[in-house]
Amino acid sequence: MVDLEKAPGARQQAGQGEPVRRSDAEGCLAVAIRIPVRIVVLVLVVPVRMVWDALVVAGRFLRDTVLRPVGRALAWLGRAVFVWPLVGLWRYVLVPLAKGVGWLGHVLLVVPAAWLYRWVLTPVGYALAWFFTRVGVVLAAIGRGLYAGLAWLGRYLAVVPAVWLYRWVLAPVGHALAWCGRQVARGVGLVVTGVGFVLYWTVRVLLVLPALAVWRWVLAPVGRFLAVVGREVADALGHAWRIAGHLSLVVGRFLGTLLRWTVAEPARWAYRSVLTPVGHAVRDTVLRPLAEAGRGAGRAARQALATARLTARQARADVRRMLFGEPAERKPVDRREPSAVEARTLGSSTTALTKD
């Protein structure tokens, strides 16, 4: 439906006169330059945006695959080369050395200094304070007397004549000079006011009014025109950047899909349909038999080595028996406790042996 009433903004502009014409002119100018500017800016911005997106993708790939691992390796190397040696030096060298130096300084300096302060400097200070206190009392009394005499002499030799000179000579002369200065300043002020009035109107007529006319009729229209052009160019740049972003996204998705269907999918199909069955066949027909044969050879070698060790051990035992004879049989030691009868028999045998 058509709105037959004017909008509030239109009614307000209709009641303002000249601003309506100016806004209409700006609207026509904006409509006239908007489409060409946006077309030109879109043509210029699309390659830049696509290059920018490609650089962003390459930068992210480089960051994730190269820079981040290298940074972590450098951080670990820095800790290993700088931080850990410095921490060990601080913890195991400097801190014990500082504690030793502090204890030595306390023993060699602080304790003697405290003893010297307590038993030498403090009594000497008290004695000097008492002496200077008494001397200060005497000097203060002498100073008060000298101050009273000098104050009396200064009052009657300097202050009283100076007051008389100020009251009867300097004050009248100063009042006369001040009145003369005020009159001279009033005359100079009138002259300066007249000269300033003349210079004001001269500068206003020769400089201000022409500058105001140039600003109102030349610079302001040119500035509004440039503002409209700049605003439209900025809007065109924003629209072109967003459109270029969508185009770059579409191109990126197309390239990704193309790469997927031309490289990734054939490679995955080849891996799944060709390489995996071939690998399983090679594993089942070649690698597993070889592994079983290797494990059987290992078991046979271990059994042969065990038989050889057992044979060598038996040969050493035969040589030892031929050279040194059969070893004496070890009698088992009865570790159980003797009964009461055996204890009495053993006690009687021990008593008989002691008597004999």
Side-chain angles (χ1 to χ4, degrees):
M1 296 178 65
V2 180
D3 189 5
L4 298 178
E5 296 182 358
K6 292 184 179 179
R11 289 197 300 269
Q12 184 178 1
Q13 291 179 358
Q16 291 179 355
E18 185 180 356
V20 175
R21 294 193 297 273
R22 189 173 300 168
S23 62
D24 292 339
E26 290 181 0
C28 295
L29 180 62
V31 172
I33 68 174
R34 181 174 298 163
I35 301 301
V37 167
R38 289 192 177 183
I39 293 173
V40 173
V41 170
L42 180 62
V43 172
L44 296 176
V45 167
V46 168
V48 177
R49 180 59 187 264
M50 294 183 69
V51 172
W52 173 259
D53 291 337
L55 291 177
V56 168
V57 172
R60 289 177 180 174
F61 176 77
L62 182 64
R63 180 195 62 187
D64 296 335
T65 57
V66 177
L67 296 180
R68 186 170 292 171
V70 171
R72 290 175 179 173
L74 291 178
W76 183 87
L77 183 62
R79 287 195 299 270
V81 174
F82 295 103
V83 177
W84 295 341
L86 291 177
V87 169
L89 180 64
W90 169 263
R91 182 175 296 173
Y92 299 109
V93 177
L94 295 180
V95 172
L97 183 61
K99 289 182 179 179
V101 171
W103 178 82
L104 188 63
H106 178 76
V107 172
L108 296 180
L109 296 177
V110 176
V111 174
W115 182 87
L116 180 66
Y117 174 78
R118 178 175 296 177
W119 302 106
V120 177
L121 297 180
T122 301
V124 172
Y126 285 149
L128 292 176
W130 180 84
F131 174 75
F132 285 116
T133 301
R134 299 298 182 269
V135 173
V137 170
V138 176
L139 292 177
I142 296 172
R144 283 196 295 271
L146 291 176
Y147 173 76
L150 292 176
W152 184 83
L153 290 176
R155 176 180 177 82
Y156 288 99
L157 294 179
V159 176
V160 174
V163 170
W164 182 87
L165 180 65
Y166 172 78
R167 181 177 296 174
W168 301 106
V169 177
L170 297 178
V173 173
H175 289 304
L177 292 176
W179 182 82
C180 293
R182 284 195 298 271
Q183 299 303 321
V184 172
R186 183 177 299 174
V188 173
L190 292 175
V191 174
V192 170
T193 302
V195 174
F197 181 78
V198 174
L199 291 177
Y200 168 75
W201 280 104
T202 302
V203 172
R204 180 179 176 85
V205 172
L206 296 179
L207 297 177
V208 176
L209 294 180
L212 183 61
V214 171
W215 168 260
R216 181 174 295 174
W217 303 109
V218 178
L219 296 179
V222 173
R224 285 193 291 271
F225 174 76
L226 293 178
V228 172
V229 173
R231 184 171 63 250
E232 292 301 326
V233 171
D235 294 338
L237 284 174
H239 288 292
W241 187 259
R242 288 190 290 273
I243 293 172
H246 290 294
L247 292 177
S248 177
L249 181 61
V250 170
V251 172
R253 288 179 178 176
F254 172 74
L255 292 177
T257 305
L258 182 63
L259 183 64
R260 176 185 175 186
W261 288 106
T262 56
V263 178
E265 289 296 334
R268 185 171 64 180
W269 178 84
Y271 175 78
R272 182 179 295 174
S273 302
V274 178
L275 297 179
T276 301
V278 171
H280 290 174
V282 170
R283 181 190 62 188
D284 296 335
T285 58
V286 178
L287 297 180
R288 282 184 178 174
L290 290 177
E292 292 294 335
R295 285 194 290 270
R299 285 194 294 270
R302 286 194 296 273
Q303 290 176 1
L305 289 176
T307 304
R309 284 197 297 269
L310 182 59
T311 303
R313 191 179 298 114
Q314 290 176 358
R316 286 198 303 271
D318 294 337
V319 170
R320 190 182 300 111
R321 281 194 297 271
M322 286 187 298
L323 294 177
F324 302 103
E326 292 291 337
E329 295 183 357
R330 295 182 180 179
K331 296 181 179 180
V333 178
D334 189 7
R335 296 182 180 276
R336 63 183 181 83
E337 295 182 358
S339 60
V341 178
E342 293 176 352
R344 285 195 297 271
T345 305
L346 182 61
S348 60
S349 301
T350 305
T351 304
L353 291 173
T354 304
K355 289 180 180 181
D356 294 339

